[in-house]
Amino acid sequence: MNRQDIIVSRIIKGNQARPDLRYVVVTHARDVYITDAVPKGHQAIGRSNFEIALTDAFYEHIRSFARSAHNRNVYALSVYTDDRHTFLLYLNTQEGFERTVAESPYYSQYTEEQKHDLQYSLGDFAFSYDSFSGPFASQYAAYHDAVKALSAAGGFEGLEAHKGSPDLVRYVYKAELFEGGQYQTALRVTKKLLAQSVWLLQTTPDFVAFASSGSEYIDYSMVMRQTIELKRFYQVFPEMKSHDEAFQTAVEKAKSLPHSEQVAFWWDRVKENRNRNPEALLTATVRTDYQAIEALAAGGASLLPAVMQALRSAVQQKDEEKTSFLCEVLLEAGGLSREVLGEMAAAIEYAPPGDHEIRAQLNRTRQELTSRLQ
């Protein structure tokens, strides 16, 4: 099971855990610390401030492009990010795409279908921007100092607490910007650019703007649909309409099954999707494991007894992957009650004493569910 896809998908939908209210401090010496309070004399940079600054920076690139001779037949704009917290602005034109194909010894031999897929491959866009100027350039560099430090430390808990002088502090960032926050940032900035800047471009009738997470399965199944109206989405990506219909047929089929069989059905879909098997339902319909979890969790409170029964069985069988899958279903499900928390406590007791991963997964899930019910 691809937990990273699940985590990113949940963040993009806004269904993540409660926000971390701590702050990340970057000093003039580029040292990085964690703190519960903003150092005296400083203001924390949160999602809103960062998004406005990034949007303004990309706006300057769009304005510069709009003044150039390239500004005609613009068919796509995208704001890209990834697990390294890199942000790039991509633009492409029909002429730029045709030039890319003509200049490549490989692309010129592509079929029309292959060329269509290539048309929305960001790595082959003719225009991309990843540099910034002015105050945001400094802020962005320090932000990446924090990203690198968090990666090396294994997360917030691995950072040292800030105890130094406020005079040595350069920037303070809210924790919400990190550990997945970049995906929401890219999506929100895309929406801001659509509202504020696209009018500068000479666009084609089928122009689309979308954020990109670095995963085509997440992008096509979730992200693109948040900025591209469905009719336009099907017009630009006609194959997605048949994929959507095939996936929905599977969803309706599963709904007709007894609850225990629904759990088994979606677990089987996740298992067959390992290593992106092209014949698996999720891969074939350009979905991630998250869509299987969503479909199962949509059963609501009536499905929870079957999920808990399967969870107890998975724990007893020391099946870490299935345990993780069922915990993700609980995190996605509605209709939770304190009775479920009691059953989670019992499931932890079922866990083999030496299986630290299963115990940790169960405890994390129980803590998150507890926080939701408070």
Side-chain angles (χ1 to χ4, degrees), residues 58-237:
F58 281 154
Y59 170 80
E60 290 303 319
H61 286 304
I62 291 174
R63 187 169 68 167
S64 177
F65 176 88
R67 292 171 174 170
S68 75
H70 299 297
N71 184 22
R72 61 178 186 272
N73 297 319
V74 180
Y75 69 84
L77 174 153
S78 183
V79 175
Y80 170 90
T81 193
D82 53 27
D83 57 2
R84 294 169 296 178
H85 290 245
T86 300
F87 290 99
L88 294 94
L89 173 69
Y90 284 95
L91 291 166
N92 213 7
T93 65
Q94 288 292 347
E95 290 81 2
F97 171 67
E98 291 166 5
R99 185 169 62 252
T100 297
V101 172
E103 292 176 353
S104 169
Y106 304 104
Y107 296 160
S108 59
Q109 305 301 315
Y110 274 23
T111 65
E112 288 305 310
E113 182 178 352
Q114 289 174 313
K115 288 179 182 178
H116 178 267
D117 292 340
L118 180 67
Q119 194 169 5
Y120 296 91
S121 171
L122 298 186
D124 293 295
F125 273 30
F127 309 96
S128 63
Y129 305 90
D130 62 355
S131 62
F132 305 104
S133 58
F136 183 67
S138 173
Q139 183 189 124
Y140 186 66
Y143 166 82
H144 273 279
D145 287 338
V147 170
K148 292 172 186 175
L150 281 165
S151 177
F156 296 125
E157 305 307 326
L159 294 178
E160 291 184 28
H162 180 253
K163 298 177 182 177
S165 167
D167 294 339
L168 302 178
V169 173
R170 187 179 185 189
Y171 290 105
V172 181
Y173 300 93
K174 291 185 180 180
E176 65 186 11
L177 284 171
F178 306 97
E179 297 196 338
Q182 71 271 29
Y183 300 106
Q184 272 286 346
T185 295
L187 181 58
R188 291 171 188 263
V189 169
T190 302
K191 292 177 178 179
K192 289 178 184 293
L193 291 175
L194 259 174
Q196 301 171 14
S197 308
V198 166
W199 65 272
L200 293 169
L201 303 174
Q202 298 293 323
T203 58
T204 60
D206 60 353
F207 169 83
V208 291
F210 55 92
S212 176
S213 68
S215 165
E216 64 175 321
Y217 293 95
I218 294 175
D219 292 344
Y220 280 94
S221 64
M222 292 184 60
V223 185
M224 289 179 169
R225 298 164 189 260
Q226 297 196 45
T227 55
I228 306 174
E229 187 269 335
L230 188 59
K231 183 178 179 181
R232 174 70 58 83
F233 184 70
Y234 286 155
Q235 176 188 351
V236 176
F237 308 109

Side-chain angles (χ1 to χ4, degrees), residues 315 318-320 323-324 327 344-367:
V315 169
K318 302 181 182 180
D319 190 333
E320 291 184 11
T323 297
S324 180
C327 284
M344 285 295 297
I348 294 171
E349 293 302 315
Y350 277 101
D355 202 322
H356 301 297
E357 181 56 38
I358 284 182
R359 284 181 171 272
Q361 178 69 51
L362 293 172
N363 277 308
R364 285 195 298 268
T365 304
R366 185 169 185 267
Q367 289 170 6

